[in-house]
Each structure stands twice: as structure tokens, then as C-alpha cells.
Amino acid sequence: MQVRVVSKKSPSRGRLLRVLAALVLVPGLAGCFVSPDGQSSPDGAGSGSRLRVALAFPPAENFSPYGADATLLSRLGVTEGLTALDANGAATPALARSWSREDDRTWRFTLREATFHDGTEVTPSAVAGALTRATKAKPLPAPLAGVTLSARPDGDDGVRVTTAAPDPVLPMRLAGPSLAILSPKAYRGRGNPTPVGTATGPFELTRVDGGTSATLDRFDDHWGGRAQAAGIDARFVKDGTARANAVRTGDVDIAEALPAAQAATLDADGLREAGTTRTTSLHLNTRTGPFKDPRLRAAARAAVDPSVLVEGVFEGHADPGAGIYGPAVTWAEGKRVEPSGRAKAARPDGTPITLATYDNRPELPEVAQVVQQQLEKAGFEVRLQVREYARLESDALAGRFDAFIGARNSLLDTGDPVGILAGDYTCDGGYNLALLCDPKVDRAVAKAGRADGTGERQDAALAAEAVILGTDAVVPLAHQRIVLGVSPKVRGVLLDPYERTLVGPGTRR
């Protein structure tokens, strides 16, 4: 697919949209980044240079803001919501400069003066319309799992959001990348809205070349001021070694999700590492196949040894799986609830299963191979499938595999600890890889969702986590850390534990 948008606001904008050179992975990415005027980007470029970024995941849904691609858009500085999250997970202003809770079900958000990439103003009507569209999306965006809300304009600068039930974390929920605000123009076509030229972030998405590349230009009218980089030339490179080589040779400025094995090959000034709330887990299909039997799920859980994965596969760049929430969720430490009511493990006796994972995160195929060996040692007969994520997601969500290994940021969607529980483990969850539908789980998650105070909500979330783990539908394997390759010339890369941001207005070289 190729999408091209030319802004009418400036005659010079057209020159920024010329075709980028194709990506060639030999042996790194030499010569594949070209500036918009057709000249190679100089290695020593100064202020206002374009950033060359290698990303692990291509868009899986044509950059739909409602699914997994929403995170790509927020990491590249394209989209924004009414709110954002600070380092502690609290809601902070974005397109809304302030908000207040009028009663237990109603909030009023006061908008700042801002402009969409298409030149139209961010108005209460546009914001209310964008939120209303999100509530009607199929599947429902993850932050809205279990939540019914309505939005309407309120005066010249406000939007009133009302929920069917009290929602004390609504400002955090609206920070979810899939609830980004787009201009009315984005919704004119059929299907999902397009963020090309219709968002509000410091960088405007101007061109998409299928799953190969994307071009972004600085949006000069951003409410927070002009970004320091002139734009971003992004490439989607699923090979982790190629991404590491590209940083090492200076062909890219930033490369995300580097393999643990490649971290040692980079100089100290070319490596960035930080804890995240991302957990790699084994999801067992509870709806169909062998793992519909909780006794076989218990056998699979007992067969897996996370410490082997942390030491052997992640080479110390991760922590053993402790639960759905990892060590970066500091409030969970010392407060976890022991799972109870687990089924007694049955003997697998050669039960055949299909285990799947994706290779965009380079450690996952190796994780899957180790887990395959551990399961086979326990008596399962395991067939392993590895694909690119874009070719795997729909099959995984449809339950076409018996087991699935994926990496998931537990606080990505809402920042609220209950969000991932509702989205991933309830009957109506939109990203339920285990296809779990258990009344006890739904009741525990609903109870956590009703908790109001911060401490009360955290305790209820940990109680619900224990109920989920008690089903053995999910087996936490490892809590990952961010490993980025960054050119020593680059400043301002955003190490976000929620992995919602990567480049921002201050990122430059």
C-alpha cells in the first residue's frame, strides 16, 4: 500500500514528500536513508537534521489508530490524546490542559489551543467526535474494554465525558495510544480512520510505503513548539541483527528492540537500557484444543523454567516472570497474592500442540525454542510456528494455535493496572490471546475496575491477577528491559517504561 498526502499550507511541503530509497539489508542498512530533497543525509548533520529510525514492527493494520499500530504512531510522535502519562504512570496534560471530575461518572476536559496536521483547529466538536468513533470501533480499542462512555462538546473549550459506571481512572484511560484524537477528515472514508495528515503530534505522517517505510515531517504548528528534528525517516526492519548493525555502522540514528546478544557488540555510548512494564508470557488456548483442559495447562506451567530463559536467552537483560506486572511496576512488589485453586497437573503423554510466536522481537523465537524443549521434556509433542507479527496476530486472536508466546506491556493501553486485565483476560477482552472466559476472572476484574482509591485499586488488581494466574491460562516468562541502539550524536531519545514514546520534540542529532 502507498499513501501520499501533500499539504496545501506551504509550497515547500511538496519537496518533503519525494520517494525515499528502498531499504537494503546488506550487510547493514548502508545508503538506505535519503533526505526529502533527494540528497543523502550527512553523517555530521547539525540542528534540524532528519532522524533515521529502524523499528521492529511494521504496521499490521494500515496504521489504524485502534489496534497495535496505535503504539507505532505515538512512538513516532504522530498522534496525541487528551492526556499522557508521566514517569510514575499518572495522567498529565496533552491536548487537554486540565480536567475536573464533576461527579462519579462525569468529567470535563478543558482543551488547549491546538491545530490538526490538516490545518483545522482542535475543537470540542472534533474531540467529541473522535472519542465517539472510538467507542464504535470493532474490535473495541483496548482502553475501552469493559467501559461505556459518551463524549459531547461543552462550550468553546471543553469536552464532557460521561461513563456508564464510575471510572476513577478516566484521565489515565484517555492517555491510551488507541484513543488518539484525529481531525474529522480522518473519518471520511470507509473502515478505520487514517492518521496520515490528520493527527496533532510534533511530527506529521506524510507517506507510508506499505510495511517497508514511513516518512514524517516536522509539524511547524504544533502546540508545544517546533520539534528540533526536521523529520523522521522510519524503516521497519524485523531482523534484530540488521538493526544493531545499522546503528554500529552509523546508517541509522536509533534502532529499537535490539537482541540481547547484540547489546554487547555496541559501545557503551551507543546503548540505552531501562526497565519496562513489558512481560513475555506463554498464553494457552483455553477455548479449543488440548489446553481447554486446565490439568494440561497446569502441566505446561510446571514444565517451564523462566530462570533458564533470563540467563540463556535474554543474557541478563530481563527478570524472571513473577506475574502479569513486572518489577518496573514498583507498587506490586511485596503485595502479590499467591494464586490458588490451580488444577492438578496431568501427564501430557505425547499430547500434540502447536506453539507460535513472532520474530519482530528477536528474542522471542529463541524463547519459543527453549519453551518447546521444556514442554517436550515434560511429555508434550510440540510443533513450532514463527512468523512476522503482522501475519500472525489475526490467527492468534482467532485461537488457531494451542499456545502463543508474546511480549506485552502491562500498562501500555491505559496506565491503569486494571486495563490489561480487562483487555487481555476477560470474556469481552479485545486482546485475549488465551481466549479466557472465566466467570471468576470477570468478577475479580470487574471488582478491581470499581475500586476508586489508588491503593485500593492496586490491591484489587493484584487480587484479580492471582485469579487469572490460578487458571494457568497465562504463564509469565520474563519481564523485559528496553535495549536501544542510539548514535552518540543523538540527544533526547525517550526511554519510556510504558513504551508509548521514543522520539519527541527534543530528539535531535
Side-chain angles (χ1 to χ4, degrees):
M1 181 186 102
Q2 187 178 85
V3 180
R4 192 190 303 263
V5 172
V6 178
S7 170
K8 297 180 180 180
K9 292 184 292 180
S10 171
S12 64
R13 181 64 59 90
R15 293 196 299 271
L16 297 177
L17 303 182
R18 295 186 183 178
V19 181
L20 300 176
L23 179 64
V24 182
L25 296 175
V26 288
L29 302 179
C32 69
F33 282 91
V34 176
S35 63
D37 61 1
Q39 300 299 316
S40 297
S41 300
D43 291 340
S47 175
S49 298
R50 297 180 66 82
L51 294 168
R52 302 161 301 170
V53 179
L55 301 173
F57 291 86
E61 300 158 334
N62 294 327
F63 274 115
S64 165
Y66 294 149
D69 293 355
T71 307
L72 278 176
L73 295 167
S74 67
R75 286 172 67 76
L76 289 171
V78 176
T79 54
E80 299 171 315
L82 288 180
T83 59
L85 294 183
D86 66 15
N88 296 316
T92 189
L95 290 177
R97 55 184 173 86
S98 64
W99 52 88
S100 60
R101 192 175 187 179
E102 298 184 338
D103 57 48
D104 62 349
R105 297 190 305 112
T106 306
W107 299 71
R108 187 185 191 277
F109 293 83
T110 302
L111 305 180
R112 67 172 75 249
E113 291 186 6
T115 305
F116 289 111
H117 293 161
D118 60 14
T120 61
E121 293 184 2
V122 176
T123 63
S125 177
V127 172
L131 292 176
T132 299
R133 291 277 190 157
T135 67
K136 299 177 181 179
K138 296 184 184 302
L140 197 65
L144 296 181
V147 176
T148 301
L149 65 78
S150 60
R152 60 185 177 86
D154 184 54
D156 294 334
D157 65 350
V159 174
R160 180 169 277 106
V161 180
T162 303
T163 55
D167 188 10
V169 296
L170 182 66
M172 296 167 63
R173 190 181 305 282
L174 294 180
S178 55
L179 296 183
I181 304 301
L182 304 179
S183 76
K185 178 182 176 181
Y187 307 95
R188 290 177 183 171
R190 293 184 177 181
N192 290 325
T194 174
V196 179
T198 62
T200 61
F203 295 101
E204 177 183 354
L205 184 62
T206 55
R207 179 185 172 98
V208 178
D209 289 327
T212 302
S213 66
T215 304
L216 301 88
D217 296 331
R218 177 171 55 205
F219 179 51
D220 291 342
D221 295 329
H222 185 246
W223 57 265
R226 296 174 70 228
Q228 295 190 34
I232 300 171
D233 299 326
R235 290 290 185 273
F236 306 108
V237 185
K238 73 174 185 177
D239 187 289
T241 300
R243 292 196 301 275
N245 286 340
V247 173
R248 193 161 42 244
T249 59
D251 292 323
V252 302
D253 302 308
I254 304 168
E256 69 166 2
L258 297 188
Q262 293 295 320
T265 69
L266 295 176
D267 295 335
D269 59 355
L271 189 69
R272 302 285 190 278
E273 182 173 358
T276 74
T277 55
R278 177 172 295 278
T279 298
T280 295
S281 300
L282 172 66
H283 302 267
L284 304 177
N285 184 345
T286 63
R287 180 181 296 172
T288 60
F291 290 126
K292 187 176 181 179
D293 184 346
R295 298 174 301 167
L296 285 177
R297 298 201 299 270
R301 184 251 308 158
V304 174
D305 183 356
S307 64
V308 174
L309 299 170
V310 170
E311 296 170 7
V313 177
F314 292 97
E315 300 185 13
H317 296 284
D319 299 287
I324 295 171
Y325 311 109
V329 186
T330 55
W331 53 260
E333 290 304 305
K335 298 175 64 177
R336 294 189 189 276
V337 179
E338 190 69 23
S340 61
R342 278 174 161 160
K344 183 178 180 180
R347 293 173 60 88
D349 290 333
T351 299
I353 61 172
T354 299
L355 171 65
T357 193
Y358 45 97
D359 54 9
N360 304 78
R361 292 194 176 275
E363 69 281 350
L364 292 187
E366 190 174 351
V367 167
Q369 290 173 4
V370 174
V371 170
Q372 178 185 25
Q373 294 168 4
Q374 293 177 339
L375 292 173
E376 288 176 341
K377 185 177 179 180
F380 290 96
E381 181 183 318
V382 184
R383 183 167 68 97
L384 178 62
Q385 289 193 27
V386 179
R387 304 182 202 163
E388 185 177 347
Y389 184 82
R391 299 176 54 243
L392 192 74
E393 181 187 65
S394 60
D395 283 346
L397 292 172
R400 295 192 175 96
F401 309 116
D402 300 310
F404 182 85
I405 293 176
R408 182 86 159 112
N409 193 313
S410 61
L411 298 182
L412 171 66
D413 294 322
T414 64
D416 170 34
V418 181
I420 189 172
L421 306 184
D424 290 23
Y425 303 107
T426 64
C427 296
D428 295 330
Y431 197 71
N432 191 342
L433 291 168
L435 301 173
L436 181 63
C437 188
D438 186 308
K440 292 182 180 179
V441 169
D442 277 23
R443 285 196 297 268
V445 174
K447 181 179 179 180
R450 292 191 297 268
D452 204 328
T454 300
E456 178 186 355
R457 196 172 184 86
Q458 291 171 352
D459 290 344
L462 290 175
E465 177 195 50
V467 177
I468 293 167
L469 295 177
T471 68
D472 286 326
V474 59
V475 182
L477 301 175
H479 304 295
Q480 295 177 241
R481 301 173 191 165
I482 293 173
V483 180
L484 296 177
V486 180
S487 166
K489 301 174 183 177
V490 172
R491 299 290 182 271
V493 173
L494 304 176
L495 295 177
D496 177 11
Y498 312 108
E499 299 182 276
R500 295 180 173 196
T501 56
L502 177 64
V503 295
T507 312
R508 65 193 185 282
R509 69 179 177 97

